[in-house]
Structures are given as C-alpha cells and as structure tokens.
Amino acid sequence: MPARLVFCLLILVYTPLLHAHKASDSYLTLKVAGDRIDGRWDIALRDLDYALGLDSDDNGEITWGEVRRRRAAVFDYALSRLNLSGGNPPCPQQAGDYFIDSHTDGVYAVLMFTAVCGTALSNIGVDYSLLFDLDPQHRGLLRVEYGQATHTAVLSPTHHNQPIELAEVKPGAAFLQYLREGVWHIWLGYDHILFLLSLLFPAVLIRQERSWRPAEQFRPVLLEVVKIVTAFTVAHSLTLSLATLGVIELPSRWVESAIAASVVLAALNNVYPLISKKLWLVAFGFGLIHGLGFANVLKDLGLPNNLLILALLAFNLGVEAGQLAIVAAFLPAAFFLRRSWGYRQLLVHAGSVLIVCVALIWFAERAMNTQLVDWESLFK
C-alpha cells in the first residue's frame, strides 16, 4: 500500500513536467466605435509555423523575410477563423498592417485589420476557432474596448463564441473568469508547483543528527505547512499587486530566470540542507519573485480598466484556491508515508535531485533565451 501511494505522489509531482511548455495563446484586441471595429491580433510565430510552415528553408529559424512572404496566407488562415458580427450578418474583415512584436514567451506576428458592420454597434459577437483543430489547449485572450468600458474573455474550444453587450459590464462574470484563470495558472504553472512541493517535501520530517526523521504528530506538521503557504501567499500577493499596478516593473526574462533559480535552491536544500527550520522565511523571500511571474500572466490576460481591482482580487484568490488544492492532496498522503523508505529516499531525495536537474535546464533556457530541450517531443 505505501509503495502504491508513493507512486501516486510521484505521478502528482511530475505530471507537470509533461506540460513543461507555455500554453499556446493569441492576443485579440478589438476597439469598437460606431459601426467600425479595429482589430489587432498577436499570434505566435511558432504557432503559425506549425499551422502553415513559415520556415521555408527548414533551418529551424524563422526570419522576417519568411514571415513577410507568407503575409497573404497568414491573413487568410487567421481571418477565416474569426467571425465578428453586430447582429445576424457577419461584419466583413479587411486586412491591414502586418509586423512582428516580442512577447514574454517569444516573437509574434501582429495582424491589424478592420471590420465595418454597416450599423452602429451596441453589441458584438465573436466566434473564434484559431488553431483549435491543431491544438485543443490553445486559447484566445480577447479584449474589447468600447468608450471607457473594457471587456475581456478567454476563448477556448468549449467557449469559442462570445457575445458582448458593449455598454454593459458584468462584474460577477468578470470575477468568475479571473478566479478561474488564477486556479488554472497555478495548476499549469509547473515551476510554481515544483517550488511549493520542494518546500512541502520535508514538512512531514524533522532534521536531527544530519538525517531526516519522520515527524510524530500531524498538528505541528500542519502548522508548519500553514506558515509556509501563508508566507508564500502574502509575498506573491504583494508583488503581484505592485507589478500589475505598474509600481514595480522588471524584465520578464530576469523574473522567469529567478523563478527557475528559486526552484533549484528549494530542491537543493532537501538534498544538502542548509535551512531546515523556518522554511516560511524561504517561502516569503522567493514568493516575492513568484508574484512577479504571476503578474506577467495577468498582464497577458489583459485587465479591464473599469474592473481592475476586482479582476486582481479574483485572480489572486484563484491562485490561492489552486495552491490549497495541491496542499490538500499532497499533505495527508505525505504524512501517512513519512516513515517509509520510498518517501524519504525516493520522493524527497531522488525527487529533489530530479527537480534540481529540470529547474537548472529551465534556468539556462530562460537566462539565455534559448531552448535546450524540446519538452513537448520528449514526452510524446
């Protein structure tokens, strides 16, 4: 029985590695005035290359010349997968400027376009199907601006049709949307998960005479975990809020590299313990860095100007809910298994070594802005 539970915990811990790449997103911004819609659509070059084969010389690099030569094909492909309407008839779309721009996760093609609907718009319908046939995980991050009101939505294969009442902003719907995004971000944020688990591994053990020994009682273990989670929450909430509001601004490359380094150090401390008490201080210190990473995601989603505080609160609560779900699933099993050889040697020791190796690769990739391992192909 303990061996099976150790195996289940290993699956729980390392499943995120199977998804060790950023989800495919595109960023669609629509500005509505009168009967006209001005659109900007940022689509990752890697996604367009997957769909259309932009890398014509197949040398592994996509140049501006290759992107420019496929302008017509890119517009045809993208606009045929987006329907805008101001009523029953669709609004004809006209291609405009075309250039490239950098995002935190790579280079994107930017497609500018317009749509004229013929009558003054009080509502619009957005039907989005980009890449859904190739990548069911793809999402379209929609932002619609109308006067002083801003609407946002996340479009997916199961939620591809979004009607929007332009003059009406629904705070309840916005709250639930950002709450859900916060939960999904922590569950899909493999680096945040591995950092948290690296701190939780030794929570059911006590460091005595240079070795890990099982804790005797659950209550002190639970209190220690509460301290760790609370410290991490307070710290990342602080920097998430400051960065989202523009008080702090650091290059995302530095932030993402520092997050990878924090995972290395937290896991390494399980193998060569330098800090075995007051791990909540470690959680607080590194939580400040992880909050800056959460802020990058929230900026990518696009905050509605008229619901800024509400969206920020909902996203933060979503992150906390996702985090607590992980702790609730991990801690009871870890406490039950703490006396077993499998937990202490296989999960804590060997598992931490594996986390160190993976996080070192992430650190190198993020610091040098390159890809050393094709994670997606590795786990196919």
Side-chain angles (χ1 to χ4, degrees), residues 203-237:
V204 296
L205 304 174
I206 297 174
R207 188 73 178 172
Q208 288 181 338
E209 299 175 354
R210 303 174 65 85
S211 66
W212 292 111
R213 299 174 185 272
E216 294 299 325
Q217 298 181 329
F218 184 72
R219 188 169 182 276
V221 169
L222 180 61
L223 290 176
E224 181 64 19
V225 170
V226 168
K227 288 180 184 176
I228 291 173
V229 172
T230 302
F232 187 61
T233 297
V234 170
H236 74 61
S237 298

Side-chain angles (χ1 to χ4, degrees), residues 359-379:
L360 278 174
I361 295 173
W362 293 342
F363 175 77
E365 287 183 337
R366 296 173 185 185
M368 296 187 293
N369 195 26
T370 188
Q371 184 175 21
L372 300 176
V373 177
D374 186 349
W375 298 98
E376 193 167 0
S377 299
L378 185 64
F379 290 103

